[in-house]
Amino acid sequence: MNSETAIPQINTCVSVPSKQPFWSVVIPTYNPDQAMLESALRSILAQDLGPEEMEIVVIDDCSPNGSPEAWVKRWAGDRIKVMNNSHNRGLAKIWNFCIESTSGQWVHILHQDDVVAQGYYASLQKGIETNPEVGAAFSRFSYIDDQGNETAKGPLEQDHQGVLSDFMEDLVKRDVRIICACMSVKREVYESLGGFRVDLCHALDWEMWIRIANSYPIFYHPEVLASWRQHDDAMTNSQMLTGDNVRDIGRAIRIWREYLTVSNRKILAKESSVYWAKCGLALAGAYYRSSNYKASLAQVSAALSCHMSLEILRKSSLLWMKIAKSLLCGKYSKVCALCVLCV
């Protein structure tokens, strides 16, 4: 799919009320865990600004186990609108549908198990109204486990709230800077730049934040006001097992390398490719140590598809030799002493 057809146009498919709410808070769901979805919704309702200022919507993407509508009604009555898709749209299309199906001036899309801290909406709205030129706003975030315990914090971009400067370099080449739960985007920005790319799966949100940062100022709040839940089975994620996560990042890099307006975009693209290739090799090493050789090889292959420098080739070769040795020694243990890999 080429870049022209991969960015869907965003069209508002709902009638905008006479007083447009400031916030549209949307959670797309797919076979959600009841307790975690309740936690997410309660974290929003705890700072509810009322229906005139905040619409809250759950959109179920045709869950095989059925819609969570009954649960939501039991917790929130009619305060939260629930929509049920008749067919599964998939990640990019459901996020774009979330934008199109709501009417607020600012759109906040969360995962079904994310949570927002008290003050998220008030703090960001104050920053947005103080800096009306911004196209997006986000706060620092934390990682939490299945029980809701904080395990780590996201990076601190600056120690004071305000519009970020020189943010692009960190965004494109250093770790995860933004998660969905901490990021809110002006509706006009989505309508101007288009929706999430349907040809990306793992990196579609990252590419979107880069697209926005390339065209609009971004407001930042240094307090931890949102949390991303990391599950115990993260290493069994299908994209990680197949290496599709790193391959998708490589595709995203090749996409934004073409549209970035900064003069050093090619240098940034190279540095980003090297960084994420090394991340793939680190994952490959973790899978190797857990004896998941198939996933380890998949990550090695993905790392090479992201960047093929002499350093990446050398590290990939060494890891491949270790995997080959482990496989051969396990199968031919009686002749292991004669194996060329052991001498």
Side-chain angles (χ1 to χ4, degrees):
M1 185 175 295
N2 60 42
S3 58
E4 288 75 23
T5 60
I7 303 178
Q9 296 300 306
I10 293 296
N11 301 302
T12 303
C13 64
V14 297
S15 57
V16 177
S18 55
K19 186 181 185 306
Q20 187 179 12
F22 188 90
W23 291 104
S24 287
V25 185
V26 202
I27 299 182
T29 61
Y30 186 80
N31 282 350
D33 176 276
Q34 182 173 350
M36 291 184 183
L37 177 59
E38 180 177 3
S39 177
L41 291 172
R42 290 196 184 281
S43 74
I44 297 165
L45 290 170
Q47 39 195 321
D48 184 8
L49 300 174
E52 290 189 353
E53 287 296 317
M54 175 185 286
E55 65 172 338
I56 309 171
V57 183
V58 170
I59 303 179
D60 187 69
D61 200 20
C62 197
S63 294
N65 294 343
S67 167
E69 184 170 6
W71 311 346
V72 176
K73 294 287 185 184
R74 187 164 65 248
W75 303 328
D78 294 327
R79 178 61 188 95
I80 298 175
K81 180 181 179 181
V82 180
M83 301 173 63
N84 298 305
N85 286 337
S86 59
H87 63 281
N88 181 263
R89 296 173 183 268
L91 188 58
K93 290 182 179 180
I94 189 62
W95 283 359
N96 291 334
F97 187 69
C98 285
I99 301 165
E100 294 177 335
S101 302
T102 54
S103 60
Q105 300 170 47
W106 281 74
V107 182
H108 183 209
I109 302 174
L110 299 84
H111 294 114
Q112 61 195 21
D113 52 3
D114 290 338
V115 293
V116 286
Q118 188 68 36
Y120 175 87
Y121 297 104
S123 298
L124 262 63
Q125 184 168 348
K126 182 179 179 180
I128 290 165
E129 291 175 342
T130 304
N131 302 276
E133 75 279 10
V134 300
F138 73 102
S139 72
R140 193 180 186 188
F141 63 92
S142 67
Y143 298 93
I144 57 176
D145 60 21
D146 284 340
Q147 289 70 47
N149 302 310
E150 184 179 287
T151 58
K153 287 183 173 69
L156 180 66
E157 306 300 343
Q158 60 187 25
D159 60 5
H160 61 280
Q161 56 181 300
V163 177
L164 291 169
S165 60
D166 301 322
F167 178 55
M168 181 64 76
E169 185 168 331
D170 284 338
L171 181 58
V172 301
K173 69 175 189 178
R174 292 194 181 96
D175 209 357
V176 177
R177 318 303 298 188
I178 303 172
I179 60 166
C180 286
C182 74
M183 182 64 144
S184 292
V185 179
K186 195 173 186 178
R187 176 176 301 281
E188 294 174 4
V189 171
Y190 281 132
E191 293 172 348
S192 172
L193 299 182
F196 292 92
R197 294 184 66 102
V198 298
D199 56 345
L200 295 175
C201 52
H202 180 84
L204 73 169
D205 52 345
W206 182 53
E207 187 277 329
M208 174 59 81
W209 313 147
I210 293 169
R211 206 186 322 160
I212 293 171
N214 187 56
S215 300
Y216 295 89
I218 296 179
F219 174 82
Y220 175 73
H221 197 291
E223 291 184 29
V224 173
L225 297 176
S227 297
W228 180 21
R229 197 181 301 270
Q230 291 186 310
H231 297 285
D232 294 336
D233 63 349
M235 283 289 281
T236 64
N237 181 289
S238 60
Q239 291 181 14
M240 294 171 69
L241 290 171
T242 60
D244 285 345
N245 59 327
V246 174
R247 288 191 188 89
D248 203 56
I249 289 171
R251 284 193 291 270
I253 292 170
R254 292 188 287 275
I255 289 167
W256 59 249
R257 180 181 61 193
E258 298 304 317
Y259 66 65
L260 280 194
T261 55
V262 294
S263 59
N264 62 336
R265 69 182 188 277
K266 291 184 179 179
I267 295 173
L268 291 179
K270 180 180 178 180
E271 292 176 347
S272 183
S273 297
V274 170
Y275 175 83
W276 289 108
K278 289 180 178 179
C279 288
L281 290 180
L283 268 176
Y287 280 125
Y288 169 76
R289 290 187 291 274
S290 64
S291 300
N292 189 338
Y293 303 131
K294 183 177 180 181
S296 183
L297 286 170
Q299 284 293 335
V300 170
S301 173
L304 289 171
S305 73
C306 194
H307 192 78
M308 197 177 290
S309 65
L310 288 176
E311 181 186 8
I312 301 299
L313 281 169
R314 181 181 63 82
K315 291 182 177 180
S316 298
S317 298
L318 289 173
L319 188 52
W320 187 90
M321 292 291 284
K322 287 182 179 180
I323 295 169
K325 177 180 176 180
S326 298
L327 291 172
L328 287 171
C329 289
K331 187 173 183 180
Y332 301 110
S333 57
K334 291 183 180 180
V335 294
C336 184
L338 300 177
C339 178
V340 293
L341 295 173
C342 296
V343 298

